[in-house]
Amino acid sequence: MPCQSSLPSHHYQNTTMAASPLSLLLLPLFLSLSLHAQAQAPAAPAPAPSGPVNFTAVLVKGGQFATLISLLNKTHTFNQIENQLNSSSEGMTIFAPTDNAFNNLKAGALNALTQQQQVQLLQYHMLPKFYSLSNLLLVSNPVPTQASGQDGVWGLNFTGQSNQVNVSTGLVEVQINNALRQDSPLAVYPVDKVLLPEELFGVKPPSASPPAPATNASSSGKSNSSDTAAEPSPGKNSAGGRNVALGLIFGLGFLSMGILS
């Protein structure tokens, strides 16, 4: 026969009733320990707020852009760049000529430009959109820059493969090897040559000199011919003079013969 428990059923009921008050006493202790452990755990750092992009700091950190910084300050272009960076959702791409790039220009090339032309030269190094190096290989040429003139917006052309990118103006071509910054919204690429736009530095066709007025030549020709016609022919004058002299000689001869007779 199966073994049956000899304990009465009321014994289980008493045990359950005795355990319930103990659980109620231990529960506050467990909650207190849990809250203390959570308080001791280090809090996760809050994400740092994204502040305004400081383009000046990027160039200063690069260490070889003193001429560019001076030109940007002189033309008040720094303010325009930073205002656009912090207000536009498209971002910007800037090509930064090094000090050696400016030193390799012809003497007086920058000073020969008006302040407006200097602004156009700087704007020609800016694209109104963020481009990584890989994205520059996928663009449709020419890519519009910030510079413009009477003929419209001035553009740049990009070629290359893999991680090598070349930028061309039509007068200058230079390779882009690295980036000072390549995080949206700003990409800054140093270049070893100043990007010279054809609109400012291209060879201008010489202006044609106006043709001489035809009236002057024709009137001069007429006056010359009339002067020639007015002058007497020396041959005719000498022949007439000889005829007059002979007539006088014959006349005197006849007169003398008449007197003698």
Side-chain angles (χ1 to χ4, degrees), residues 83-164:
N83 288 338
Q84 182 170 344
L85 279 174
N86 297 301
S87 61
S88 171
S89 60
E90 295 292 327
M92 290 187 72
T93 301
I94 300 177
F95 303 99
T98 62
D99 291 334
N100 287 336
F102 282 105
N103 292 336
N104 290 332
L105 290 176
K106 290 182 179 180
L110 287 180
N111 293 332
L113 301 176
T114 65
Q115 182 164 344
Q116 176 59 32
Q117 289 173 331
Q118 290 178 354
V119 171
Q120 289 175 312
L121 176 63
L122 292 172
Q123 291 175 335
Y124 192 62
H125 290 72
M126 307 172 192
L127 306 181
K129 186 176 180 180
F130 172 83
Y131 290 98
S132 65
L133 280 177
S134 57
N135 288 339
L136 288 175
L137 296 174
L138 305 175
V139 296
S140 298
N141 290 317
V143 178
T145 68
Q146 295 275 79
S148 61
Q150 295 180 351
D151 298 332
V153 178
W154 303 351
L156 292 170
N157 295 299
F158 296 89
T159 57
Q161 57 185 358
S162 185
N163 291 328
Q164 177 182 335

